[in-house]
Amino acid sequence: MAYCLKLQPPLGHHFKAVSTNSKKSKEIFKFKIRSCAVEPENAHKLVVEVKKKLEKEHNTLPVGKNGRDDEEMILWFLKDRNFSVEDAVSKLNKAIRWRHEVGVSELSEESVKSVAETGKAYVHDFLDIYGRPVLIVEASKHFPGKHERVEDEKLSAFLIEKALSKLPAGKQEILGIIDLRGFRTKNIDIKFLTFAVDAFYCYYPRRLGRVLFVEAPFVFKPVWQLFKPLLKSSSSLVRFCSVETIREEYFAEDTVPASFGG
């Protein structure tokens, strides 16, 4: 296993919003060691091996783009699983089945319109200063039970796919911003939070580069205490911050999201 240096800030302390007068993000101030899977010389051979195992053991899975014979996706999952064929096959089986059940390849603006119109989640028009597409969630607009859970999953999948389609060349991760202003107990949805963990761990691994929880109220503390263990090591991607931090550290003046005063 090789290691590389990845620049990441520490978690927020006791939900205290952090701001700075510097235009430089605190993401460049702290070093954190993170393991990086180095692609082996026999990577293509491993991809072929995964394809054969999926065909033999899970031949009901669809083929084509994002299917069991999609070599680009297989390579991505191999990297995520440190090139373990067995682990990659297991994770791909789950991810491909979910994509098929939700009908990810058929999703469109029209098919998710009723849920999207709530305004609770959307992809920002501009990239952040690090060239990452931005997925914004306004938690106060989510009400458990208002829509069928599968509809919320479809919106999530559609927006993640939309964000990934905006990735510039050489970029692989997106930025997630969870706006917690106005968040109340009536917005708590543990089942959906569990799905969100699955979405970025099982279905879209290593696609989330940073998650910003903005202006977290005290009522969110027990939610985070329950939610954090599910994230495991990925909890290091989370940062609690203020609106000011969003404006000063993650966007150019003319690309700040409108909900944060842009």
Side-chain angles (χ1 to χ4, degrees), residues 24-259:
K24 278 190 175 182
S25 171
K26 291 189 176 181
E27 291 207 20
I28 68 172
F29 294 162
K30 295 288 183 179
F31 288 93
K32 182 180 179 65
I33 301 297
R34 179 177 177 179
S35 63
C36 300
V38 177
E39 187 171 325
E41 293 182 0
N42 65 336
H44 180 68
K45 181 179 178 181
L46 295 175
V47 168
V48 173
E49 187 175 344
V50 170
K51 283 176 62 176
K52 289 181 177 179
K53 287 185 70 67
L54 286 172
E55 182 180 9
K56 180 180 179 180
E57 300 172 8
H58 308 286
N59 60 13
T60 59
L61 292 175
V63 295
K65 183 173 175 55
N66 293 312
R68 59 179 168 82
D69 60 345
D70 186 331
E71 294 192 0
E72 183 178 354
M73 183 173 70
I74 290 173
L75 179 59
W76 184 266
F77 275 71
L78 275 169
K79 290 179 179 178
D80 172 58
R81 296 291 86 195
N82 295 317
F83 290 93
S84 165
V85 170
E86 293 295 336
D87 289 348
V89 167
S90 176
K91 202 165 186 178
L92 278 163
N93 176 43
K94 183 175 183 178
I96 296 171
R97 287 189 185 282
W98 173 81
R99 295 180 68 88
H100 182 64
E101 291 168 1
V102 174
V104 173
S105 61
E106 286 81 43
L107 294 177
S108 64
E109 296 277 0
E110 186 62 31
S111 67
V112 299
K113 183 178 179 181
S114 63
V115 188
E117 284 180 340
T118 64
K120 63 184 177 182
Y122 55 94
V123 175
H124 185 41
D125 291 336
F126 301 98
L127 306 177
D128 74 353
I129 62 173
Y130 300 102
R132 297 175 296 198
V134 182
L135 176 56
I136 299 175
V137 175
E138 296 190 14
S140 65
K141 295 181 179 180
H142 176 73
F143 299 97
K146 185 174 182 179
H147 294 92
E148 293 290 335
R149 187 161 305 281
V150 67
E151 297 304 314
D152 283 327
E153 289 190 21
K154 287 182 178 180
L155 176 63
S156 300
F158 176 76
L159 293 178
I160 294 171
E161 292 285 339
K162 183 176 181 179
L164 293 177
S165 72
K166 295 167 67 73
L167 282 170
K171 298 294 183 179
Q172 300 177 331
E173 299 174 331
I174 67 176
L175 171 68
I177 301 180
I178 315 300
D179 187 350
L180 290 166
R181 291 174 296 174
F183 180 85
R184 300 290 184 268
T185 55
K186 61 184 178 181
N187 304 122
I188 298 174
D189 190 343
I190 300 302
K191 289 184 177 179
F192 185 74
L193 285 174
T194 302
F195 161 73
V197 173
D198 276 347
F200 283 105
Y201 176 76
C202 299
Y203 312 142
Y204 297 97
R206 294 181 181 264
R207 289 301 192 181
L208 199 56
R210 169 68 66 202
V211 183
L212 304 177
F213 285 152
V214 185
E215 306 286 1
F218 184 77
V219 70
F220 184 72
K221 185 174 182 179
V223 179
W224 173 242
Q225 290 175 334
L226 179 65
F227 185 45
K228 184 179 179 181
L230 299 178
L231 296 175
K232 300 179 181 178
S233 62
S234 295
S235 64
S236 64
L237 300 177
V238 174
R239 181 185 183 187
F240 289 89
C241 65
S242 66
V243 170
E244 184 180 5
T245 301
I246 295 291
R247 293 175 56 84
E248 294 186 350
E249 297 185 18
Y250 290 91
F251 295 94
E253 186 175 349
D254 58 347
T255 64
V256 175
S259 58

